[in-house]
Amino acid sequence: MSTTKAVLFDLDGTLIDSELFYFSSWSPILKREFAIEIDFKDWLNIFAGHTLDHNISMLKDRWYVDVNRDFLWAETRKSYADADMKTIQLMPFAKEILQFLKNEGKQIGLVTSSYKSTVDTVLGHHQLLGYFDFFVTREDVESPKPDPEPYLKAIHKLNLPKDSIVAVEDTSTGFASATAAGIACFVVSVQESQQDRLSGKTEILSSLKDLLKTI
């Protein structure tokens, strides 16, 4: 920990327990508009941790449906608004790890494929925005995760040696982005799909509480 000067966190599935929220918003749309039925395991295996554009590509490739991006964007945003993103809970020990790092004088950044409006709504509701020195959101990059661009932008903001920066992610997508940018990445996940994808590549922690002992 003494050599770590900055920690970069992913948002969805890492700091906030949002995947069931997204599944509950997407699955009725897919069934109603495209006659596609998925369960939560399908969501985690196919869609979780990816951008809208990636998920549209998956719908076209797997189910051969013609998906209009603007339409799906509008439908999902309406569903999010109707469901109220303020209901999304924090992952266990999320606030504790942020407080610990703040007390230790570490810089803290958020690197997410979500939009700033989501960050402001959810983290603002939980009064966590003030813990972060900066945010890299979907609006800030041309190529989202797994491309390294989001983390390269964060590294540039920090102006620190890469070996003093660590990332915290919950998916293979985020892990690929962080490691391609040249920084170490801790993975915190209990999802079997992510554990299978990352087996042999990195140690997988089961909770942010374990990160407190590791970072």
Side-chain angles (χ1 to χ4, degrees):
M1 183 66 191
S2 59
T3 61
T4 301
K5 297 179 185 282
V7 182
L8 304 174
F9 285 92
D10 173 54
L11 180 65
D12 294 294
T14 301
L15 289 177
I16 63 173
D17 193 5
S18 53
E19 294 305 345
L20 185 59
F21 175 91
Y22 289 128
F23 165 73
S24 299
S25 297
W26 273 69
S27 56
I29 298 171
L30 297 182
K31 183 177 181 179
R32 180 181 70 243
E33 301 295 336
F34 309 110
I36 296 172
E37 295 193 44
I38 62 170
D39 58 23
F40 188 49
K41 186 175 182 180
D42 294 327
W43 173 260
L44 294 174
N45 287 335
I46 301 169
F47 299 107
H50 295 291
T51 63
L52 175 67
D53 289 332
H54 173 276
N55 288 343
I56 287 174
S57 294
M58 295 302 294
L59 289 171
K60 290 180 178 179
D61 292 345
R62 285 178 175 254
W63 286 279
Y64 308 106
V65 293
D66 185 19
V67 183
N68 179 279
R69 187 189 190 282
D70 291 341
F71 171 79
L72 193 55
W73 164 264
E75 286 295 302
T76 53
R77 294 297 134 173
K78 181 179 182 300
S79 182
Y80 297 165
D82 290 344
D84 186 3
M85 298 192 90
K86 292 179 181 178
T87 62
I88 297 174
Q89 297 299 304
L90 297 177
M91 296 297 286
F93 300 98
K95 187 170 185 177
E96 288 85 347
I97 189 71
L98 293 174
Q99 186 64 60
F100 172 78
L101 293 171
K102 185 64 73 175
N103 291 345
E104 291 288 320
K106 310 302 180 184
Q107 293 190 63
I108 306 172
L110 189 78
V111 182
T112 176
S113 293
S114 287
Y115 287 83
K116 187 62 163 52
S117 58
T118 297
V119 173
D120 290 342
T121 298
V122 182
L123 294 187
H125 174 70
H126 290 288
Q127 300 182 331
L128 295 185
L129 291 171
Y131 285 95
F132 295 90
D133 295 290
F134 63 87
F135 305 91
V136 177
T137 62
R138 181 64 185 88
E139 295 97 327
D140 298 318
V141 300
E142 292 185 11
S143 301
K145 303 172 188 178
D147 192 275
E149 183 186 353
Y151 278 104
L152 290 173
K153 281 189 174 289
I155 293 166
H156 180 73
K157 287 176 180 290
L158 289 167
N159 194 28
L160 292 170
K162 287 185 178 182
D163 60 5
S164 69
I165 306 167
V166 297
V168 183
E169 284 278 354
D170 72 307
T171 66
S172 57
T173 302
F175 177 82
S177 176
T179 54
I183 60 175
C185 182
F186 292 100
V187 175
V188 181
S189 178
V190 296
Q191 302 299 338
E192 290 183 6
S193 59
Q194 298 304 323
Q195 292 174 350
D196 290 343
R197 290 170 190 168
L198 290 165
S199 178
K201 296 181 180 179
T202 185
E203 179 184 3
I204 301 174
L205 306 176
S206 60
S207 79
L208 291 171
K209 185 177 182 179
D210 294 330
L211 186 65
L212 278 171
K213 308 170 188 175
T214 305
I215 201 168

XYZ file of all heavy atoms in Angstrom, residues 36-94:
501
model
N -37.205 -11.342 -27.436
C -36.013 -11.972 -26.882
C -36.194 -12.079 -25.370
O -36.418 -11.076 -24.687
C -34.746 -11.150 -27.190
C -34.497 -11.114 -28.694
C -33.540 -11.717 -26.458
C -33.374 -10.176 -29.094
N -36.093 -13.292 -24.862
C -36.211 -13.502 -23.424
C -34.861 -13.909 -22.857
O -34.252 -14.873 -23.317
C -37.267 -14.565 -23.110
C -38.677 -14.148 -23.519
C -39.753 -15.049 -22.935
O -39.653 -15.368 -21.733
O -40.662 -15.430 -23.687
N -34.388 -13.164 -21.863
C -33.132 -13.481 -21.200
C -33.364 -13.563 -19.698
O -34.293 -12.947 -19.163
C -32.036 -12.429 -21.495
C -32.444 -11.048 -20.959
C -31.729 -12.369 -22.993
C -31.329 -10.021 -20.999
N -32.530 -14.361 -19.026
C -32.576 -14.374 -17.574
C -31.355 -13.611 -17.043
O -30.535 -13.104 -17.821
C -32.637 -15.806 -17.018
C -31.460 -16.669 -17.458
O -30.393 -16.115 -17.804
O -31.592 -17.902 -17.435
N -31.254 -13.514 -15.731
C -30.187 -12.700 -15.145
C -28.811 -13.269 -15.465
O -27.850 -12.510 -15.682
C -30.385 -12.611 -13.628
C -29.448 -11.635 -12.959
C -29.272 -10.347 -13.449
C -28.743 -12.012 -11.823
C -28.421 -9.450 -12.814
C -27.884 -11.123 -11.192
C -27.722 -9.834 -11.687
N -28.701 -14.578 -15.556
C -27.419 -15.181 -15.920
C -27.028 -14.794 -17.337
O -25.854 -14.509 -17.618
C -27.495 -16.705 -15.786
C -26.162 -17.405 -16.016
C -26.254 -18.887 -15.755
C -24.898 -19.558 -15.949
N -24.981 -21.026 -15.680
N -28.000 -14.779 -18.254
C -27.730 -14.320 -19.624
C -27.222 -12.879 -19.613
O -26.282 -12.531 -20.335
C -28.995 -14.383 -20.486
C -29.484 -15.794 -20.717
O -28.643 -16.703 -20.790
O -30.711 -15.974 -20.816
N -27.876 -12.050 -18.807
C -27.466 -10.650 -18.728
C -26.000 -10.542 -18.297
O -25.213 -9.815 -18.903
C -28.360 -9.892 -17.753
C -27.869 -8.499 -17.505
C -27.147 -8.048 -16.433
C -28.024 -7.377 -18.380
N -26.844 -6.724 -16.589
C -27.370 -6.281 -17.770
C -28.660 -7.181 -19.611
C -27.321 -5.020 -18.355
C -28.610 -5.926 -20.198
C -27.951 -4.870 -19.574
N -25.648 -11.275 -17.243
C -24.279 -11.210 -16.737
C -23.280 -11.751 -17.752
O -22.180 -11.205 -17.906
C -24.171 -12.002 -15.428
C -24.953 -11.428 -14.237
C -24.872 -12.386 -13.060
C -24.422 -10.054 -13.842
N -23.645 -12.811 -18.451
C -22.718 -13.445 -19.391
C -22.549 -12.661 -20.690
O -21.466 -12.680 -21.288
C -23.195 -14.862 -19.735
C -22.993 -15.828 -18.593
O -22.132 -15.627 -17.747
N -23.805 -16.881 -18.562
N -23.595 -11.980 -21.121
C -23.588 -11.388 -22.459
C -23.499 -9.861 -22.448
O -22.763 -9.275 -23.241
C -24.854 -11.813 -23.235
C -24.918 -13.337 -23.352
C -24.892 -11.174 -24.628
C -26.253 -13.864 -23.859
N -24.238 -9.238 -21.537
C -24.406 -7.787 -21.624
C -23.707 -6.983 -20.530
O -23.331 -5.835 -20.767
C -25.903 -7.445 -21.587
C -26.695 -8.040 -22.713
C -27.552 -9.109 -22.489
C -26.586 -7.544 -23.994
C -28.292 -9.670 -23.524
C -27.320 -8.081 -25.042
C -28.175 -9.154 -24.802
N -23.578 -7.535 -19.339
C -23.075 -6.757 -18.197
C -21.665 -6.245 -18.436
O -20.812 -6.953 -18.976
C -23.111 -7.609 -16.928
N -21.451 -5.010 -18.049
C -20.130 -4.421 -18.148
C -19.776 -3.869 -19.505
O -18.631 -3.465 -19.742
N -20.761 -3.814 -20.413
C -20.493 -3.353 -21.777
C -21.295 -2.097 -22.103
O -22.265 -1.762 -21.418
C -20.829 -4.453 -22.784
C -19.955 -5.657 -22.673
N -18.626 -5.642 -23.001
C -20.226 -6.921 -22.240
C -18.100 -6.851 -22.800
N -19.048 -7.630 -22.335
N -20.911 -1.450 -23.169
C -21.596 -0.239 -23.616
C -22.862 -0.579 -24.397
O -23.069 -1.725 -24.816
C -20.673 0.590 -24.518
O -20.375 -0.172 -25.692
C -19.392 0.959 -23.800
N -23.671 0.444 -24.626
C -24.876 0.284 -25.445
C -24.513 -0.229 -26.834
O -25.169 -1.148 -27.358
C -25.612 1.615 -25.546
C -26.836 1.636 -26.466
C -27.954 0.764 -25.910
C -27.338 3.077 -26.650
N -23.482 0.330 -27.440
C -23.103 -0.083 -28.797
C -22.687 -1.545 -28.841
O -23.035 -2.274 -29.776
C -21.975 0.801 -29.321
C -22.446 2.221 -29.623
O -23.633 2.398 -29.949
O -21.625 3.150 -29.512
N -21.941 -1.977 -27.835
C -21.552 -3.388 -27.775
C -22.787 -4.272 -27.651
O -22.903 -5.303 -28.335
C -20.622 -3.635 -26.588
C -20.313 -5.086 -26.349
N -21.155 -5.904 -25.614
C -19.281 -5.868 -26.753
C -20.647 -7.129 -25.569
N -19.518 -7.130 -26.262
N -23.719 -3.879 -26.788
C -24.902 -4.709 -26.568
C -25.803 -4.756 -27.801
O -26.440 -5.782 -28.084
C -25.667 -4.207 -25.345
C -24.925 -4.522 -24.052
O -24.033 -5.368 -24.032
N -25.281 -3.831 -22.981
N -25.847 -3.664 -28.546
C -26.587 -3.672 -29.808
C -25.942 -4.657 -30.776
O -26.637 -5.427 -31.466
C -26.649 -2.263 -30.407
C -27.620 -1.394 -29.594
C -27.086 -2.306 -31.879
C -27.642 0.051 -30.007
N -24.627 -4.663 -30.831
C -23.922 -5.614 -31.696
C -24.208 -7.049 -31.292
O -24.395 -7.924 -32.155
C -22.411 -5.356 -31.645
O -22.091 -4.101 -32.205
N -24.277 -7.304 -29.984
C -24.582 -8.654 -29.510
C -25.991 -9.071 -29.910
O -26.219 -10.225 -30.299
C -24.429 -8.717 -27.989
C -23.007 -8.502 -27.496
S -21.820 -9.687 -28.178
C -22.398 -11.206 -27.443
N -26.933 -8.136 -29.833
C -28.303 -8.452 -30.241
C -28.359 -8.798 -31.723
O -29.069 -9.730 -32.128
C -29.222 -7.271 -29.943
C -29.521 -6.998 -28.472
C -30.252 -5.668 -28.309
C -30.356 -8.130 -27.875
N -27.622 -8.074 -32.530
C -27.608 -8.345 -33.967
C -26.911 -9.658 -34.279
O -27.369 -10.445 -35.115
C -26.921 -7.188 -34.692
C -27.728 -5.895 -34.682
C -27.009 -4.768 -35.411
C -27.840 -3.502 -35.431
N -27.147 -2.382 -36.116
N -25.788 -9.918 -33.603
C -24.998 -11.107 -33.898
C -25.643 -12.387 -33.385
O -25.601 -13.429 -34.055
C -23.596 -10.972 -33.280
C -22.765 -9.888 -33.942
O -23.143 -9.443 -35.043
O -21.755 -9.465 -33.343
N -26.258 -12.331 -32.216
C -26.818 -13.541 -31.587
C -28.262 -13.799 -31.970
O -28.678 -14.950 -32.100
C -26.706 -13.453 -30.057
C -25.296 -13.684 -29.530
C -25.271 -13.533 -28.025
N -23.964 -13.874 -27.488
C -23.676 -14.997 -26.820
N -24.623 -15.892 -26.599
N -22.455 -15.232 -26.371
N -29.043 -12.715 -32.112
C -30.476 -12.887 -32.350
C -30.921 -12.352 -33.711
O -32.105 -12.431 -34.037
C -31.269 -12.209 -31.226
C -31.231 -12.976 -29.939
C -31.990 -14.060 -29.598
C -30.383 -12.720 -28.807
N -31.692 -14.490 -28.338
C -30.695 -13.688 -27.813
C -29.397 -11.770 -28.518
C -30.057 -13.729 -26.574
C -28.759 -11.809 -27.293
C -29.082 -12.770 -26.339
N -29.996 -11.797 -34.476
C -30.276 -11.339 -35.844
C -31.430 -10.345 -35.904
O -32.276 -10.398 -36.798
C -30.579 -12.546 -36.752
C -29.525 -13.611 -36.676
C -29.768 -14.802 -35.985
C -28.271 -13.439 -37.263
C -28.791 -15.785 -35.893
C -27.288 -14.415 -37.168
C -27.558 -15.583 -36.490
O -26.590 -16.548 -36.393
N -31.457 -9.436 -34.931
C -32.518 -8.425 -34.926
C -31.933 -7.092 -35.375
O -30.768 -6.780 -35.123
C -33.157 -8.283 -33.529
C -33.912 -9.544 -33.164
C -32.117 -7.941 -32.479
N -32.765 -6.319 -36.052
C -32.360 -5.002 -36.512
C -32.683 -3.998 -35.414
O -33.850 -3.705 -35.149
C -33.099 -4.642 -37.800
C -32.624 -3.325 -38.392
O -31.510 -2.890 -38.032
O -33.364 -2.737 -39.193
N -31.649 -3.492 -34.757
C -31.837 -2.622 -33.605
C -31.441 -1.197 -33.971
O -30.315 -0.947 -34.405
C -30.988 -3.099 -32.413
C -31.251 -2.221 -31.199
C -31.288 -4.561 -32.096
N -32.364 -0.277 -33.779
C -32.081 1.131 -34.000
C -31.477 1.713 -32.717
O -32.101 1.675 -31.652
C -33.362 1.880 -34.364
C -33.117 3.352 -34.586
O -33.043 4.130 -33.639
N -33.002 3.741 -35.848
N -30.263 2.250 -32.824
C -29.553 2.719 -31.634
C -30.323 3.812 -30.900
O -30.460 3.778 -29.666
C -28.156 3.235 -32.002
C -27.308 3.583 -30.788
C -26.021 4.289 -31.162
N -25.137 4.397 -30.013
C -25.286 5.296 -29.049
N -26.288 6.158 -29.080
N -24.426 5.310 -28.028
N -30.828 4.792 -31.641
C -31.534 5.906 -31.007
C -32.778 5.422 -30.270
O -33.101 5.901 -29.175
C -31.912 6.961 -32.046
C -30.704 7.701 -32.597
O -29.636 7.668 -31.944
O -30.818 8.300 -33.689
N -33.467 4.462 -30.888
C -34.665 3.917 -30.251
C -34.314 3.209 -28.951
O -34.943 3.444 -27.910
C -35.365 2.943 -31.198
C -36.475 2.171 -30.547
C -37.719 2.754 -30.349
C -36.274 0.855 -30.127
C -38.755 2.045 -29.736
C -37.301 0.145 -29.508
C -38.539 0.747 -29.313
N -33.290 2.334 -28.993
C -32.943 1.572 -27.796
C -32.380 2.490 -26.711
O -32.633 2.287 -25.521
C -31.936 0.467 -28.145
C -31.725 -0.598 -27.067
C -33.051 -1.232 -26.663
C -30.761 -1.668 -27.557
N -31.622 3.496 -27.119
C -31.134 4.489 -26.158
C -32.311 5.146 -25.423
O -32.327 5.225 -24.192
C -30.301 5.544 -26.882
C -30.059 6.797 -26.087
C -30.767 7.958 -26.138
C -29.028 7.016 -25.108
N -30.255 8.889 -25.271
C -29.191 8.345 -24.622
C -27.997 6.229 -24.608
C -28.354 8.889 -23.655
C -27.156 6.788 -23.647
C -27.339 8.090 -23.179
N -33.297 5.611 -26.193
C -34.439 6.298 -25.598
C -35.241 5.369 -24.692
O -35.672 5.764 -23.596
C -35.340 6.872 -26.695
N -35.440 4.128 -25.139
C -36.229 3.179 -24.354
C -35.545 2.826 -23.040
O -36.188 2.746 -21.989
C -36.476 1.911 -25.175
C -37.496 2.091 -26.284
C -38.880 2.392 -25.750
O -39.419 1.585 -24.980
O -39.412 3.464 -26.103
N -34.243 2.582 -23.100
C -33.537 2.208 -21.872
C -33.456 3.393 -20.912
O -33.620 3.226 -19.702
C -32.127 1.667 -22.174
O -31.406 2.605 -22.977
C -32.219 0.332 -22.898
N -33.224 4.598 -21.434
C -33.169 5.772 -20.554
C -34.519 6.015 -19.879
O -34.578 6.383 -18.698
C -32.761 7.020 -21.341
C -31.371 6.975 -21.882
C -30.305 6.905 -20.811
N -29.321 5.892 -21.127
C -28.201 5.687 -20.440
N -27.942 6.403 -19.367
N -27.362 4.734 -20.781
N -35.608 5.826 -20.627
C -36.938 5.986 -20.039
C -37.159 4.946 -18.943
O -37.705 5.254 -17.874
C -38.012 5.848 -21.112
C -39.441 6.018 -20.595
C -40.446 5.904 -21.718
C -41.866 6.131 -21.211
N -42.252 5.140 -20.175
N -36.716 3.713 -19.212
C -36.870 2.653 -18.217
C -36.063 2.961 -16.964
O -36.533 2.757 -15.836
C -36.427 1.309 -18.815
O -36.609 0.266 -17.891
N -34.847 3.465 -17.140
C -34.024 3.831 -15.985
C -34.715 4.909 -15.153
O -34.737 4.854 -13.921
C -32.654 4.360 -16.425
C -31.778 3.389 -17.167
C -30.674 3.847 -17.879
C -32.028 2.017 -17.165
C -29.849 2.975 -18.574
C -31.219 1.134 -17.863
C -30.127 1.623 -18.572
O -29.305 0.772 -19.264
N -35.251 5.906 -15.853
C -35.905 7.012 -15.153
C -37.142 6.531 -14.395
O -37.389 6.933 -13.258
C -36.282 8.110 -16.141
N -37.925 5.672 -15.037
C -39.134 5.153 -14.395
C -38.802 4.307 -13.168
O -39.536 4.305 -12.182
C -39.939 4.314 -15.387
C -40.579 5.152 -16.484
O -40.658 6.389 -16.307
O -40.979 4.586 -17.517
N -37.677 3.571 -13.253
C -37.291 2.692 -12.145
C -36.589 3.456 -11.027
O -36.507 2.953 -9.910
C -36.385 1.577 -12.666
N -36.050 4.633 -11.311
C -35.366 5.492 -10.348
C -34.008 4.905 -9.948
O -33.906 4.021 -9.101
C -36.219 5.711 -9.096
C -35.587 6.726 -8.153
O -34.524 7.294 -8.498
O -36.145 6.944 -7.072
N -32.958 5.445 -10.545
C -31.607 4.968 -10.286
C -31.152 5.209 -8.852
O -30.177 4.609 -8.395
C -30.621 5.615 -11.258
C -30.885 5.288 -12.713
S -29.533 5.755 -13.809
C -28.579 4.238 -13.778
N -31.873 6.055 -8.133
C -31.518 6.278 -6.736
C -31.783 5.048 -5.867
O -31.342 4.989 -4.717
C -32.288 7.480 -6.186
C -31.859 8.806 -6.796
C -32.668 9.955 -6.230
C -32.246 11.278 -6.865
N -33.054 12.413 -6.358
N -32.498 4.077 -6.419
C -32.742 2.845 -5.666
C -31.550 1.898 -5.709
O -31.510 0.905 -4.972
C -33.980 2.106 -6.211
O -33.741 1.729 -7.581
C -35.217 2.991 -6.145
N -30.579 2.167 -6.579
C -29.402 1.298 -6.686
C -28.564 1.427 -5.415
O -28.215 2.527 -4.995
C -28.549 1.668 -7.916
C -29.351 1.447 -9.199
C -27.260 0.850 -7.947
C -28.634 1.916 -10.456
N -28.251 0.285 -4.836
C -27.509 0.261 -3.584
C -25.995 0.204 -3.830
O -25.537 -0.217 -4.902
C -27.930 -0.939 -2.739
C -29.387 -0.901 -2.330
C -29.708 0.326 -1.489
O -29.084 0.559 -0.449
N -30.680 1.114 -1.928
N -25.238 0.599 -2.833
C -23.787 0.459 -2.887
C -23.398 -1.001 -2.713
O -24.099 -1.777 -2.054
C -23.130 1.282 -1.783
C -23.317 2.795 -1.825
C -22.660 3.418 -0.599
C -22.738 3.379 -3.100
N -22.281 -1.376 -3.300
C -21.711 -2.675 -2.991
C -21.226 -2.655 -1.542
O -20.852 -1.596 -1.016
C -20.537 -2.984 -3.926
C -20.938 -3.119 -5.386
S -22.075 -4.487 -5.717
C -20.962 -5.900 -5.585
N -21.247 -3.805 -0.871
C -20.765 -3.835 0.520
C -19.349 -3.288 0.640
O -18.492 -3.599 -0.180
C -20.814 -5.330 0.870
C -21.873 -5.888 -0.026
C -21.750 -5.116 -1.313
N -19.139 -2.427 1.635
C -17.838 -1.836 1.978
C -17.359 -0.799 0.959
O -16.196 -0.379 1.015
C -16.768 -2.925 2.173
C -17.092 -3.887 3.274
C -17.668 -5.116 2.997
C -16.850 -3.546 4.600
C -17.992 -6.000 4.026
C -17.171 -4.422 5.633
C -17.741 -5.647 5.353
N -18.251 -0.352 0.065
C -17.840 0.666 -0.909
C -17.447 1.960 -0.205
O -16.384 2.541 -0.484
C -18.962 0.924 -1.914
